[in-house]
């Protein structure tokens, strides 16, 4: 990839995580604009980011623009950005619930758009990012977007933008579900005498290790469950409770509720 000029409108938490990952790449030139002076001062102090005084200045410098603002701010940002966009620009939007069609419509359909749904483990370099391109974006654009977001973890490209609701429910909201499970397992350990510190370490590291085993792709989750379960043993006793309480159905319903809400919020 040639030297890439990438600008960020909004320099909040997700932008900061991506900037931290991209800053290590030699072929990157980074720019930032934020309406909050303290935010832009903080990001330029920590990373090699050139502050821009306006979206006009940023659009003039960056061919790739990451829209890292709150969903309620997006329409105003697009209105201010629209006069300075050309067909050379690629917009990457991390604003939840904002469709590529909405962005295209508010920029005069003259720029390429890719919707992006990262998640909070990006702050630990272990993010999961779902991407889906708008109608004008090319195969090359999606390859470029994937390369950028691999700086903070893994990526998956969705063929149908309607699947972003499911991705939002599984990986966007998913960290909160995982934190809930970690805390619950740890609480069980505390009730059986462990210190809270030890219980959290045991729970969190166990989830991390289990996730890595799944990601290795050598065995399915069902096969891995079988490997750790001895007939009449401790794991089987615990799984029996999960089956009786129908934990699988609860988690499936959890994803369905989040995906439904994501679709309701869509613009």
């Amino acid at each position: 990839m040639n030297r890439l000029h990438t600008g960020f409108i909004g320099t909040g938490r997700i932008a900061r995580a991506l900037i931290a990952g991209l800053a290590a790449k030699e072929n990157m030139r980074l720019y930032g604009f934020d309406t909050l002076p303290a935010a832009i001062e903080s990001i330029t102090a920590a990373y090699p980011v050139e502050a821009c005084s306006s979206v006009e200045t940023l659009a003039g410098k960056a061919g790739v623009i990451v829209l890292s603002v709150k969903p309620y701010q997006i329409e105003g940002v697009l209105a201010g950005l629209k006069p300075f966009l050309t067909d050379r620009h690629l917009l990457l939007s991390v604003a939840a619930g904002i469709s590529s069609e909405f962005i295209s419509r508010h920029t005069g359909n003259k720029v390429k758009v890719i919707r992006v749904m990262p998640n909070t483990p990006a702050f630990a370099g272990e993010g999961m990012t779902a991407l889906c391109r708008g109608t004008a974006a090319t195969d090359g654009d999606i390859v470029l977007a994937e390369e950028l977001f691999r700086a903070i973890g893994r990526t998956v490209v969705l063929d149908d933008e309607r699947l972003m609701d499911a991705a939002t429910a599984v990986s966007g909201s998913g960290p909160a579900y995982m934190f809930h499970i970690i805390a619950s397992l740890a609480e069980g350990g505390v009730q059986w005498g462990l210190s809270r510190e030890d219980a959290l370490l045991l729970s969190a590291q166990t989830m991390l290790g289990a996730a890595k085993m799944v990601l290795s792709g050598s065995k399915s989750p069902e096969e891995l469950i079988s490997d750790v379960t001895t007939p009449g043993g401790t794991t089987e006793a615990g799984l029996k409770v999960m089956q009786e309480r129908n934990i699988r159905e609860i988690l499936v319903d959890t994803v369905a509720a989040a995906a439904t809400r994501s679709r309701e919020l869509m613009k």
Side-chain angles (χ1 to χ4, degrees):
M1 187 170 64
N2 295 327
R3 191 167 183 84
L4 185 65
H5 293 244
T6 302
F8 291 80
I9 297 180
T11 55
R13 299 178 72 230
I14 288 294
R16 193 178 186 93
L18 183 55
I19 287 169
L22 293 177
K25 292 181 174 289
E26 294 181 357
N27 57 353
M28 287 289 158
R29 187 71 181 268
L30 303 174
Y31 306 90
F33 169 79
D34 202 299
T35 56
L36 298 176
I40 196 66
E41 288 172 10
S42 173
I43 205 75
T44 55
Y47 303 104
V49 176
E50 180 180 330
C52 295
S53 59
S54 67
V55 294
E56 177 183 5
T57 301
L58 185 139
K61 292 177 177 288
V64 177
I65 298 175
V66 181
L67 302 172
S68 182
V69 297
K70 300 294 185 184
Y72 72 88
Q73 298 173 312
I74 194 75
E75 188 169 351
V77 167
L78 294 175
L81 190 59
K82 179 179 176 179
F84 314 111
L85 294 175
T86 69
D87 57 8
R88 76 178 180 86
H89 286 102
L90 172 63
L91 300 184
L92 307 179
S93 172
V94 302
I98 304 298
S99 68
S100 62
E101 188 277 332
F102 180 94
I103 295 171
S104 295
R105 179 159 32 94
H106 285 79
T107 53
N109 297 304
K110 59 186 177 182
V111 293
K112 299 170 289 186
V113 179
I114 294 177
R115 270 189 73 190
V116 185
M117 174 52 67
N119 65 6
T120 55
F123 304 130
E126 293 290 349
M128 182 67 236
T129 301
L131 305 99
C132 186
R133 67 185 183 187
T135 55
T138 66
D139 290 345
D141 294 329
I142 202 74
V143 168
L144 173 58
E146 278 198 280
E147 182 167 353
L148 290 174
F149 280 87
R150 281 181 185 141
I152 54 173
R154 298 192 180 210
T155 63
V156 63
V157 177
L158 304 178
D159 295 329
D160 188 334
E161 191 166 346
R162 290 174 295 182
L163 295 174
M164 290 294 281
D165 295 316
T168 297
V170 174
S171 63
S173 299
Y177 314 149
M178 299 302 105
F179 299 148
H180 187 79
I181 292 170
I182 289 171
S184 298
L185 287 173
E187 182 59 31
V190 169
Q191 290 185 15
W192 276 81
L194 290 171
S195 70
R196 190 160 299 277
E197 181 181 5
D198 288 346
L200 278 172
L201 174 60
L202 287 164
S203 180
Q205 180 60 34
T206 296
M207 179 172 280
L208 175 63
K212 286 188 173 183
M213 291 180 74
V214 172
L215 289 172
S216 75
S218 59
K219 292 184 177 181
S220 69
E222 290 73 20
E223 290 173 318
L224 292 168
I225 290 171
S226 179
D227 286 348
V228 77
T229 305
T230 302
T234 59
T235 305
E236 185 179 71
L239 287 172
K240 183 178 179 181
V241 175
M242 296 181 76
Q243 291 161 357
E244 289 173 348
R245 305 286 176 84
N246 212 338
I247 297 301
R248 180 185 291 264
E249 184 176 333
I250 289 172
L251 291 174
V252 168
D253 289 346
T254 296
V255 171
T260 298
R261 184 55 177 157
S262 174
R263 187 155 296 177
E264 290 171 348
L265 294 172
M266 181 62 62
K267 291 184 178 181

